[in-house]
Amino acid sequence: MAYEQRTSLTNMVTIDSRLDMEDAPPSSASWVLQVIGNSRLFKYTTLGHQQYLVNASHVGQLEEKGFDVIRLGSLRSNLLVAEPFLRDAHLVSVDIASVRQSDAPGTKFPSPNGLMAEEACQLARFAGLGDQVSCFGIFETNPECDSHDQTSQLAAQAIWYFIEGFSQRKRENLHRTILISKFSW
């Protein structure tokens, strides 16, 4: 809702094993429908979905709107494909179920397939490097299923990598750079 108040358009990236586009009352399985219907949303990208967990019509719906949909296999074969999307985002949402169960067991929808822990941390770092990212969140952790706090530790490490990326940010927005240099004389 805060992003609806912005005067400029918003770019959003989700990293999730599912598309969360179920036709149901607002919940963790249906929230994306509300987001993509928002008139303030300019660009939406979803990374890492597992094709057998999603409805093909939902993928088509996103692609028809011009949004980017990158499935897990494509993402894992070239993680760098995600960097431009993450660095251009304002809002990044990570569902911990996008990470394979052996690396993150503490979630409602664990899967033997998914991102490796190292890949999740690299994506978090890419997000931190983006000079427009103002909101980064890791969601759907479930402490009751978290063996030896492994998922919580991974979430903490991903946040550390986001902060590391944040600390190394460089101004990439040309318009802002021009304005700053114009008025800093």
mmCIF file of all heavy atoms in Angstrom, residues 3-5 11 13 22 27 42-43 56 63 66 68 70 72 76 78 99 102 109 129 132 154 159 161 184:
data_model
loop_
_atom_site.group_PDB
_atom_site.id
_atom_site.type_symbol
_atom_site.label_atom_id
_atom_site.label_comp_id
_atom_site.label_asym_id
_atom_site.label_seq_id
_atom_site.Cartn_x
_atom_site.Cartn_y
_atom_site.Cartn_z
ATOM 1 N N TYR A 3 3.627 1.703 -1.549
ATOM 2 C CA TYR A 3 4.093 1.963 -2.905
ATOM 3 C C TYR A 3 2.983 2.548 -3.784
ATOM 4 O O TYR A 3 3.269 3.190 -4.787
ATOM 5 C CB TYR A 3 4.677 0.691 -3.527
ATOM 6 C CG TYR A 3 6.054 0.395 -3.000
ATOM 7 C CD1 TYR A 3 6.234 -0.384 -1.877
ATOM 8 C CD2 TYR A 3 7.177 0.930 -3.602
ATOM 9 C CE1 TYR A 3 7.490 -0.638 -1.378
ATOM 10 C CE2 TYR A 3 8.446 0.686 -3.115
ATOM 11 C CZ TYR A 3 8.599 -0.097 -2.004
ATOM 12 O OH TYR A 3 9.857 -0.341 -1.508
ATOM 13 N N GLU A 4 1.729 2.345 -3.433
ATOM 14 C CA GLU A 4 0.628 2.953 -4.175
ATOM 15 C C GLU A 4 0.633 4.465 -4.019
ATOM 16 O O GLU A 4 0.106 5.177 -4.866
ATOM 17 C CB GLU A 4 -0.714 2.390 -3.700
ATOM 18 C CG GLU A 4 -0.931 0.950 -4.102
ATOM 19 C CD GLU A 4 -2.222 0.379 -3.555
ATOM 20 O OE1 GLU A 4 -3.014 1.120 -2.941
ATOM 21 O OE2 GLU A 4 -2.446 -0.825 -3.741
ATOM 22 N N GLN A 5 1.217 4.977 -2.948
ATOM 23 C CA GLN A 5 1.261 6.410 -2.683
ATOM 24 C C GLN A 5 2.380 7.115 -3.448
ATOM 25 O O GLN A 5 2.427 8.342 -3.482
ATOM 26 C CB GLN A 5 1.427 6.670 -1.178
ATOM 27 C CG GLN A 5 0.409 5.971 -0.309
ATOM 28 C CD GLN A 5 -1.023 6.337 -0.665
ATOM 29 O OE1 GLN A 5 -1.322 7.496 -0.893
ATOM 30 N NE2 GLN A 5 -1.890 5.347 -0.720
ATOM 31 N N ASN A 11 8.919 -0.858 -9.658
ATOM 32 C CA ASN A 11 9.398 -2.132 -10.196
ATOM 33 C C ASN A 11 9.493 -3.117 -9.042
ATOM 34 O O ASN A 11 10.057 -2.790 -8.006
ATOM 35 C CB ASN A 11 10.775 -1.987 -10.845
ATOM 36 C CG ASN A 11 10.763 -1.060 -12.031
ATOM 37 O OD1 ASN A 11 9.743 -0.846 -12.671
ATOM 38 N ND2 ASN A 11 11.914 -0.485 -12.337
ATOM 39 N N VAL A 13 10.257 -7.311 -7.870
ATOM 40 C CA VAL A 13 10.780 -8.644 -8.177
ATOM 41 C C VAL A 13 10.379 -9.576 -7.051
ATOM 42 O O VAL A 13 10.535 -9.245 -5.871
ATOM 43 C CB VAL A 13 12.318 -8.637 -8.328
ATOM 44 C CG1 VAL A 13 12.853 -10.059 -8.503
ATOM 45 C CG2 VAL A 13 12.746 -7.765 -9.492
ATOM 46 N N GLU A 22 -3.332 -17.614 -6.942
ATOM 47 C CA GLU A 22 -4.552 -18.383 -6.782
ATOM 48 C C GLU A 22 -5.760 -17.443 -6.714
ATOM 49 O O GLU A 22 -5.668 -16.346 -6.180
ATOM 50 C CB GLU A 22 -4.485 -19.253 -5.528
ATOM 51 C CG GLU A 22 -3.390 -20.299 -5.575
ATOM 52 C CD GLU A 22 -3.485 -21.224 -6.767
ATOM 53 O OE1 GLU A 22 -4.599 -21.684 -7.099
ATOM 54 O OE2 GLU A 22 -2.437 -21.485 -7.379
ATOM 55 N N SER A 27 -4.223 -13.740 0.467
ATOM 56 C CA SER A 27 -3.440 -14.590 1.360
ATOM 57 C C SER A 27 -2.046 -14.722 0.768
ATOM 58 O O SER A 27 -1.746 -14.144 -0.273
ATOM 59 C CB SER A 27 -4.088 -15.975 1.489
ATOM 60 O OG SER A 27 -3.916 -16.705 0.289
ATOM 61 N N PHE A 42 5.041 -0.636 -12.647
ATOM 62 C CA PHE A 42 5.585 -0.508 -13.996
ATOM 63 C C PHE A 42 6.121 -1.847 -14.492
ATOM 64 O O PHE A 42 5.802 -2.290 -15.574
ATOM 65 C CB PHE A 42 6.695 0.548 -14.025
ATOM 66 C CG PHE A 42 7.334 0.694 -15.371
ATOM 67 C CD1 PHE A 42 6.622 1.216 -16.436
ATOM 68 C CD2 PHE A 42 8.648 0.308 -15.578
ATOM 69 C CE1 PHE A 42 7.202 1.345 -17.690
ATOM 70 C CE2 PHE A 42 9.242 0.438 -16.821
ATOM 71 C CZ PHE A 42 8.523 0.959 -17.883
ATOM 72 N N LYS A 43 6.942 -2.469 -13.676
ATOM 73 C CA LYS A 43 7.600 -3.711 -14.076
ATOM 74 C C LYS A 43 7.487 -4.726 -12.954
ATOM 75 O O LYS A 43 7.719 -4.411 -11.794
ATOM 76 C CB LYS A 43 9.077 -3.407 -14.373
ATOM 77 C CG LYS A 43 9.820 -4.533 -14.991
ATOM 78 C CD LYS A 43 9.450 -4.667 -16.440
ATOM 79 C CE LYS A 43 10.310 -5.693 -17.128
ATOM 80 N NZ LYS A 43 9.679 -6.203 -18.316
ATOM 81 N N ALA A 56 -0.105 -22.998 -15.805
ATOM 82 C CA ALA A 56 0.441 -22.420 -17.034
ATOM 83 C C ALA A 56 -0.315 -21.159 -17.451
ATOM 84 O O ALA A 56 0.276 -20.237 -18.027
ATOM 85 C CB ALA A 56 0.421 -23.449 -18.152
ATOM 86 N N GLU A 63 2.948 -12.942 -18.753
ATOM 87 C CA GLU A 63 3.647 -12.632 -19.994
ATOM 88 C C GLU A 63 2.813 -11.722 -20.894
ATOM 89 O O GLU A 63 3.358 -10.845 -21.566
ATOM 90 C CB GLU A 63 4.046 -13.920 -20.708
ATOM 91 C CG GLU A 63 5.170 -14.647 -19.981
ATOM 92 C CD GLU A 63 5.514 -15.999 -20.564
ATOM 93 O OE1 GLU A 63 4.669 -16.596 -21.283
ATOM 94 O OE2 GLU A 63 6.640 -16.479 -20.294
ATOM 95 N N GLY A 66 3.335 -8.236 -20.230
ATOM 96 C CA GLY A 66 4.693 -7.770 -20.484
ATOM 97 C C GLY A 66 5.637 -7.953 -19.316
ATOM 98 O O GLY A 66 6.725 -7.370 -19.289
ATOM 99 N N ASP A 68 8.157 -10.174 -16.764
ATOM 100 C CA ASP A 68 9.173 -11.201 -16.977
ATOM 101 C C ASP A 68 8.967 -12.357 -16.014
ATOM 102 O O ASP A 68 8.796 -12.148 -14.809
ATOM 103 C CB ASP A 68 10.565 -10.599 -16.773
ATOM 104 C CG ASP A 68 10.877 -9.560 -17.831
ATOM 105 O OD1 ASP A 68 10.986 -9.943 -19.002
ATOM 106 O OD2 ASP A 68 10.987 -8.367 -17.469
ATOM 107 N N ILE A 70 10.826 -15.909 -15.114
ATOM 108 C CA ILE A 70 12.028 -16.715 -15.320
ATOM 109 C C ILE A 70 11.961 -17.919 -14.387
ATOM 110 O O ILE A 70 12.001 -17.776 -13.166
ATOM 111 C CB ILE A 70 13.301 -15.879 -15.055
ATOM 112 C CG1 ILE A 70 13.312 -14.673 -16.000
ATOM 113 C CG2 ILE A 70 14.550 -16.732 -15.214
ATOM 114 C CD1 ILE A 70 14.372 -13.657 -15.707
ATOM 115 N N LEU A 72 12.921 -21.647 -12.624
ATOM 116 C CA LEU A 72 14.068 -22.096 -11.848
ATOM 117 C C LEU A 72 15.213 -22.598 -12.721
ATOM 118 O O LEU A 72 16.367 -22.204 -12.518
ATOM 119 C CB LEU A 72 13.647 -23.187 -10.851
ATOM 120 C CG LEU A 72 14.763 -23.790 -10.004
ATOM 121 C CD1 LEU A 72 15.385 -22.726 -9.102
ATOM 122 C CD2 LEU A 72 14.236 -24.952 -9.181
ATOM 123 N N ARG A 76 18.879 -20.950 -12.615
ATOM 124 C CA ARG A 76 20.039 -21.682 -12.084
ATOM 125 C C ARG A 76 21.118 -21.868 -13.146
ATOM 126 O O ARG A 76 22.299 -21.947 -12.809
ATOM 127 C CB ARG A 76 19.604 -23.053 -11.551
ATOM 128 C CG ARG A 76 18.738 -22.869 -10.319
ATOM 129 C CD ARG A 76 18.863 -23.883 -9.255
ATOM 130 N NE ARG A 76 20.201 -24.228 -8.876
ATOM 131 C CZ ARG A 76 20.586 -25.478 -8.644
ATOM 132 N NH1 ARG A 76 19.736 -26.477 -8.757
ATOM 133 N NH2 ARG A 76 21.813 -25.725 -8.271
ATOM 134 N N ASN A 78 22.010 -19.682 -15.320
ATOM 135 C CA ASN A 78 22.729 -18.422 -15.471
ATOM 136 C C ASN A 78 22.175 -17.422 -14.462
ATOM 137 O O ASN A 78 21.287 -16.634 -14.782
ATOM 138 C CB ASN A 78 22.615 -17.878 -16.887
ATOM 139 C CG ASN A 78 23.387 -16.595 -17.080
ATOM 140 O OD1 ASN A 78 24.169 -16.179 -16.227
ATOM 141 N ND2 ASN A 78 23.166 -15.947 -18.212
ATOM 142 N N VAL A 99 14.004 -21.845 -1.976
ATOM 143 C CA VAL A 99 15.276 -22.531 -1.680
ATOM 144 C C VAL A 99 14.963 -23.995 -1.400
ATOM 145 O O VAL A 99 13.987 -24.317 -0.714
ATOM 146 C CB VAL A 99 15.983 -21.877 -0.473
ATOM 147 C CG1 VAL A 99 17.283 -22.589 -0.142
ATOM 148 C CG2 VAL A 99 16.220 -20.396 -0.729
ATOM 149 N N SER A 102 16.705 -29.119 1.477
ATOM 150 C CA SER A 102 17.934 -29.485 2.204
ATOM 151 C C SER A 102 18.677 -28.263 2.732
ATOM 152 O O SER A 102 19.414 -28.354 3.706
ATOM 153 C CB SER A 102 18.859 -30.315 1.307
ATOM 154 O OG SER A 102 19.236 -29.582 0.158
ATOM 155 N N PHE A 109 5.922 -24.977 2.427
ATOM 156 C CA PHE A 109 5.958 -25.721 1.163
ATOM 157 C C PHE A 109 7.378 -26.128 0.791
ATOM 158 O O PHE A 109 7.931 -25.654 -0.197
ATOM 159 C CB PHE A 109 5.357 -24.878 0.028
ATOM 160 C CG PHE A 109 3.918 -24.529 0.219
ATOM 161 C CD1 PHE A 109 3.550 -23.222 0.499
ATOM 162 C CD2 PHE A 109 2.932 -25.499 0.140
ATOM 163 C CE1 PHE A 109 2.215 -22.878 0.676
ATOM 164 C CE2 PHE A 109 1.597 -25.170 0.327
ATOM 165 C CZ PHE A 109 1.243 -23.861 0.597
ATOM 166 N N LEU A 129 22.732 -4.273 -4.127
ATOM 167 C CA LEU A 129 23.488 -3.375 -4.996
ATOM 168 C C LEU A 129 22.598 -2.386 -5.739
ATOM 169 O O LEU A 129 23.065 -1.322 -6.150
ATOM 170 C CB LEU A 129 24.301 -4.186 -6.014
ATOM 171 C CG LEU A 129 25.512 -4.929 -5.464
ATOM 172 C CD1 LEU A 129 26.026 -5.933 -6.486
ATOM 173 C CD2 LEU A 129 26.602 -3.960 -5.059
ATOM 174 N N GLN A 132 17.875 1.528 -6.247
ATOM 175 C CA GLN A 132 16.468 1.888 -6.101
ATOM 176 C C GLN A 132 15.742 1.002 -5.083
ATOM 177 O O GLN A 132 14.630 1.305 -4.683
ATOM 178 C CB GLN A 132 15.743 1.780 -7.444
ATOM 179 C CG GLN A 132 16.280 2.729 -8.489
ATOM 180 C CD GLN A 132 15.443 2.689 -9.738
ATOM 181 O OE1 GLN A 132 14.697 3.616 -9.996
ATOM 182 N NE2 GLN A 132 15.537 1.606 -10.495
ATOM 183 N N LEU A 154 19.918 -19.212 7.312
ATOM 184 C CA LEU A 154 20.032 -18.850 5.898
ATOM 185 C C LEU A 154 19.397 -17.481 5.651
ATOM 186 O O LEU A 154 19.965 -16.644 4.947
ATOM 187 C CB LEU A 154 19.381 -19.900 4.994
ATOM 188 C CG LEU A 154 19.303 -19.523 3.511
ATOM 189 C CD1 LEU A 154 20.686 -19.229 2.930
ATOM 190 C CD2 LEU A 154 18.592 -20.604 2.726
ATOM 191 N N ILE A 159 20.161 -11.757 4.436
ATOM 192 C CA ILE A 159 20.042 -10.346 4.839
ATOM 193 C C ILE A 159 21.435 -9.725 4.947
ATOM 194 O O ILE A 159 21.653 -8.584 4.523
ATOM 195 C CB ILE A 159 19.249 -10.216 6.154
ATOM 196 C CG1 ILE A 159 17.788 -10.589 5.904
ATOM 197 C CG2 ILE A 159 19.370 -8.814 6.736
ATOM 198 C CD1 ILE A 159 16.973 -10.799 7.162
ATOM 199 N N TYR A 161 24.035 -10.554 3.193
ATOM 200 C CA TYR A 161 24.495 -10.309 1.818
ATOM 201 C C TYR A 161 23.776 -9.114 1.202
ATOM 202 O O TYR A 161 24.378 -8.348 0.449
ATOM 203 C CB TYR A 161 24.324 -11.560 0.949
ATOM 204 C CG TYR A 161 25.483 -12.502 1.111
ATOM 205 C CD1 TYR A 161 25.392 -13.602 1.952
ATOM 206 C CD2 TYR A 161 26.683 -12.294 0.436
ATOM 207 C CE1 TYR A 161 26.464 -14.462 2.130
ATOM 208 C CE2 TYR A 161 27.758 -13.143 0.598
ATOM 209 C CZ TYR A 161 27.641 -14.230 1.445
ATOM 210 O OH TYR A 161 28.710 -15.066 1.601
ATOM 211 N N SER A 184 25.563 20.492 -7.308
ATOM 212 C CA SER A 184 26.645 20.411 -6.320
ATOM 213 C C SER A 184 27.808 21.330 -6.684
ATOM 214 O O SER A 184 28.870 21.217 -6.136
ATOM 215 C CB SER A 184 27.112 18.968 -6.177
ATOM 216 O OG SER A 184 27.610 18.501 -7.398
#
